[in-house]
Amino acid sequence: MSDNFTRPQKQKDLSAAIAERIRQDILAGALVADDRLPSESELSEAHGVSRATVREALKRLAAQSLIRTKRGATGGAFVNRQSFEDAYAQMASSATLLITLNSVDIKTACEARFALERGCVRLAAKHRQEHHLDRMRAEIARQKDPELSDEAFCASDVAFHRALVDAAGNPVLSWQLAAAVEGIEPLMNMLTYRQRDRDAVISLHEAMVEALEARVGARLEILMDYLRDQTLRTALS
Amino acid sequence: MSDNFTRPQKQKDLSAAIAERIRQDILAGALVADDRLPSESELSEAHGVSRATVREALKRLAAQSLIRTKRGATGGAFVNRQSFEDAYAQMASSATLLITLNSVDIKTACEARFALERGCVRLAAKHRQEHHLDRMRAEIARQKDPELSDEAFCASDVAFHRALVDAAGNPVLSWQLAAAVEGIEPLMNMLTYRQRDRDAVISLHEAMVEALEARVGARLEILMDYLRDQTLRTALS
DNA sequence: GGCAAGTCAAATGTCTGACAATTTCACAAG
DNA sequence: CTTGTGAAATTGTCAGACATTTGACTTGCC
């Protein structure tokens, strides 16, 4: 049973209480995406509070991207359909927070990233499509530019691996990995790649694209282990 | 005095703009944990807006757990120390939201869960300690109770697998998996296990504990695949 | 009848001023 | 020294007003 520890203060903070009520309505399915909430005046009357209080509640929900508002005659507050982009952003920001708060070291972060990714590669081998290979090849091409800054190299690396995970064709995997990878990106950005390191990474990337094209999941797992070791070497040098 | 140096999309929604400014201050480190923000009156004067608008902005930040407020003479808005629990809860809640709002099916959810977990087992085999085995054995014992409701069985299953992931000794993995598993728990709760299904799951759990004790990661991966297939059979029957 | 322009109504966004509730602190009374 | 009490500061809530936006409706012209 998922016990909701969201039982803060029922007596205090009306705006929080109202927000919670509406939030429950949304999560319980009474309100679905693109439904329009009652107007602020109606809500204030329905809940017996002032319009200002209702507005504060709505702002809370808006801050969580649960609703959006539109002005004008047909305006109002509408239930948001959560987009993948929103999800990426929100989960990634939480992941970043967790990592900085707990001062995770780069070794732990790498280990986690490659472990999670390793779990996806068999599915990726099974479901990959041409456009995934294309995206990855494009990133490899970018990575070969020796003028690329470390940060840009890292960003391209992230894009490469996101394409790999997307190839698994599982949205849950995609956003979980995206959150983790983006969360540890600040740590990865502190890496300084020597040219030799970059070459090693690029070689592995190329081998991974080949293995993905041939749909050989087992080989992808091995390459992923190599890449983890290579990255750890770069980090610890 | 409204500055005209404001960045894009600033024409609308003053309260969002103010919230964003304060948020930047917090993230940029100008304000650190437990710092007190200026009072609402001071903020309204400083930003040239009414107190109501400032309050809406503060509610937005409060909804993101960035600040907390206290009434009274020494009250005000204080920057929250981001706790592990907050960030973790936020991550789990966005995972839940995503899954329900995007109507992820149980097959996709299972696939993702076991794929992520599969990536952890080699680390778990390497770093597991006795107390991890103990936790898992305790859950297996609970699962053997035939009076257990499906929901309770599922909860015990979650606890078992959380222990397994914790055994990897990597906090990043632990909370990533925990968020994912918590997010798909509502879906898993809809499963109805026949006794035969439960027996199969329990046998696999026992085999996994053995493999973990012997630190044989490869066998754990195979067992994880079996468990995934078994769970999918239960889900689709 | 059809189209264009103007008008209107509904809704959110913002402001103002007030009062209530809560909390701390100083200070006086005992 | 303790205790109570009131002032001050601050957030929480309210009521009402006006500004702004936007779609729908009306009107007038062709």
Side-chain angles (χ1 to χ4, degrees), chain B:
Chain B
M1 194 76 65
S2 64
D3 53 335
N4 300 325
F5 303 92
T6 44
R7 289 164 310 168
Q9 48 98 5
K10 263 311 179 40
Q11 221 52 288
K12 319 196 162 194
D13 239 335
L14 269 177
S15 73
I18 308 279
E20 186 55 27
R21 280 200 237 173
I22 301 175
R23 185 165 176 277
Q24 291 303 333
D25 285 345
I26 294 175
L27 293 189
L31 296 164
V32 294
D34 297 332
D35 271 4
R36 180 176 171 279
L37 297 177
S39 74
E40 294 175 351
S41 313
E42 289 168 326
L43 282 174
S44 72
E45 196 171 350
H47 292 98
V49 298
S50 75
R51 201 183 139 220
T53 302
V54 166
R55 279 183 62 76
E56 288 178 9
L58 292 179
K59 291 314 162 208
R60 298 180 113 107
L61 298 176
Q64 301 175 304
S65 299
L66 274 158
I67 60 169
R68 62 180 180 279
T69 55
K70 213 184 75 170
R71 289 163 83 158
T74 60
F78 299 84
V79 177
N80 260 339
R81 160 168 296 115
Q82 291 292 321
S83 73
F84 173 86
E85 285 74 18
D86 283 343
Y88 166 75
Q90 189 168 353
M91 205 157 114
S93 121
S94 36
T96 306
L97 247 170
L98 269 174
I99 284 168
T100 59
L101 291 186
N102 289 287
S103 46
V104 170
D105 60 279
I106 195 162
K107 181 169 171 294
T108 304
C110 280
E111 200 179 60
R113 171 187 164 178
F114 288 109
L116 292 173
E117 213 168 315
R118 190 179 195 277
C120 306
V121 293
R122 284 183 180 244
L123 281 171
K126 198 166 156 191
H127 296 119
R128 67 115 181 104
Q129 296 174 324
E130 281 307 315
H131 66 268
H132 297 122
L133 298 173
D134 293 340
R135 276 169 63 193
M136 293 165 76
R137 290 199 184 99
E139 293 303 332
I140 289 178
R142 183 168 307 157
Q143 289 157 20
K144 282 182 175 167
D145 176 4
E147 300 300 316
L148 215 59
S149 70
D150 277 338
E151 200 167 305
F153 183 80
C154 183
S156 171
D157 183 68
V158 167
F160 177 90
H161 286 274
R162 182 168 296 185
L164 175 59
V165 174
D166 285 347
N170 187 311
V172 181
L173 284 180
S174 291
W175 68 60
Q176 279 288 321
L177 262 290
V181 169
E182 209 173 302
I184 70 175
E185 200 174 355
L187 284 176
M188 302 292 285
N189 270 334
M190 297 191 319
L191 291 187
T192 56
Y193 290 93
R194 287 161 305 190
Q195 191 56 48
R196 211 179 51 197
D197 295 327
R198 288 198 187 184
D199 292 341
V201 168
I202 293 172
S203 302
L204 284 169
H205 281 177
E206 284 174 332
M208 289 169 73
V209 173
E210 280 175 30
L212 190 63
E213 183 164 28
R215 300 187 190 279
V216 189
R219 172 141 181 76
L220 273 169
E221 285 182 343
I222 295 172
L223 290 168
M224 195 64 74
D225 289 340
Y226 287 160
L227 189 57
R228 177 199 57 208
D229 295 339
Q230 169 62 39
T231 307
L232 280 176
R233 267 199 301 278
T234 303
L236 301 181
S237 67

